[in-house]
Amino acid sequence: MTPGTRRTYRSALRAFYAFLADEGVCEDPTGRLAPVRVARGQPRPFTQDQVDRMLSSGAYRRTRAMILLGYYQGFRVSSIAAVHGHDVDLVGMTIRTVGKGGKDRTLPLHPTVAELAETMPRDGWWFPARAGRDGHVSGHSVSELITRAKRRAGITDPKLTAHSLRHGFGTDLVEEGVDIRVVQELMMHESLATTQIYTGVSEHRKREGLHALRPRPIPERSGRRVAA
């Protein structure tokens, strides 16, 4: 069991027993549970080449649309699943979505997604549920379809998931020199610390940053006066 899973279970137990204690059913024994420390997450982004391969390796049209929303808007699978034609404003070049915590967000629309929107329903779900069901597909279905596109593209890294498109979005924005606060807003993060988990820094950027320090000649002597 991973540390993250243990922490989730611990939180659930504490909430459950806190409720029982408030109702006078029993005392809360979870106060003795040791805290679970979880290491800081690491970004696991798709590269731009991998995104291109997924788009050109036989994925169906709607799967390609999901990939574009994940990479160019940084949407989570739940947001991808729920895109509606009314969410997209091609005049104002914005797209509306619901972020974590049920918060409505209106974000700039990437030109590639604007081009995609011209081919998608204007008055309905972009990804309607099938088999006669109402509403849109589930986030799980989006993950499954993107995973299939990944396999079809010959990408075997098990750490890369549908969410890795979002990681690629954040990482590539930083690579292009976009301010981290702007990236935070585009990724709809409440905390800048969360954004920093999603944004990797390449060796190229590290080297570029290091070389910002101007070189200077190395003195051959210490500069001390020679004793008489």
Side-chain angles (χ1 to χ4, degrees):
M1 187 184 297
T2 66
T5 301
R6 290 201 302 272
R7 183 170 65 178
T8 300
Y9 285 174
R10 179 181 183 275
S11 297
L13 284 171
R14 295 208 67 180
F16 175 67
Y17 278 104
F19 167 76
L20 293 181
D22 288 343
E23 294 295 313
V25 176
C26 67
E27 294 184 1
D28 182 357
T30 62
R32 297 190 295 273
L33 289 175
V36 179
R37 302 190 182 280
V38 180
R40 179 178 174 178
Q42 294 295 321
R44 50 185 192 282
F46 280 113
T47 66
Q48 294 186 36
D49 175 68
Q50 289 171 327
V51 173
D52 288 339
R53 284 160 56 192
M54 286 194 293
L55 290 170
S56 61
S57 296
Y60 289 123
R61 175 174 169 270
R62 78 172 190 159
T63 303
R64 296 197 304 272
M66 292 172 178
I67 292 169
L68 292 172
L69 284 163
Y71 178 73
Y72 281 109
Q73 295 294 156
F75 278 8
R76 299 177 177 89
V77 293
S78 57
S79 290
I80 294 172
V83 173
H84 192 282
H86 293 171
D87 295 331
V88 180
D89 179 356
L90 290 174
V91 176
M93 288 295 285
T94 61
I95 184 168
R96 174 190 167 276
T97 189
V98 178
K100 277 190 173 181
K103 295 182 179 178
D104 278 358
R105 300 292 183 98
T106 299
L107 300 167
L109 185 68
H110 191 279
T112 298
V113 180
E115 181 180 347
L116 170 67
E118 297 283 1
T119 69
M120 302 299 282
R122 300 290 183 87
D123 189 23
W125 301 110
W126 279 20
F127 312 111
R130 293 183 171 177
R133 297 191 303 272
D134 293 332
H136 55 76
V137 299
S138 67
H140 178 72
S141 294
V142 174
S143 294
E144 284 291 320
L145 290 168
I146 293 175
T147 298
R148 289 179 198 172
K150 167 195 156 181
R151 291 172 183 159
R152 184 181 289 275
I155 301 168
T156 58
D157 186 344
K159 293 182 180 179
L160 294 176
T161 66
H163 200 66
S164 296
L165 289 167
R166 181 169 162 83
H167 287 215
F169 170 78
T171 298
D172 287 347
L173 286 176
V174 171
E175 284 293 293
E176 293 297 326
V178 178
D179 184 270
I180 191 71
R181 278 285 293 113
V182 175
V183 179
Q184 178 187 355
E185 291 296 321
L186 291 174
M187 297 191 78
M188 299 174 284
H189 285 152
E190 295 294 331
S191 166
L192 185 59
T194 305
T195 308
Q196 290 170 333
I197 294 173
Y198 281 70
T199 52
V201 180
S202 70
E203 292 303 315
H204 168 75
R205 290 274 291 180
K206 291 176 187 176
R207 191 175 300 108
E208 187 180 61
L210 186 66
H211 289 177
L213 297 174
R214 67 175 180 83
R216 53 171 32 86
I218 302 173
E220 295 182 3
R221 299 175 182 274
S222 67
R224 294 186 182 184
R225 293 184 179 181
V226 178

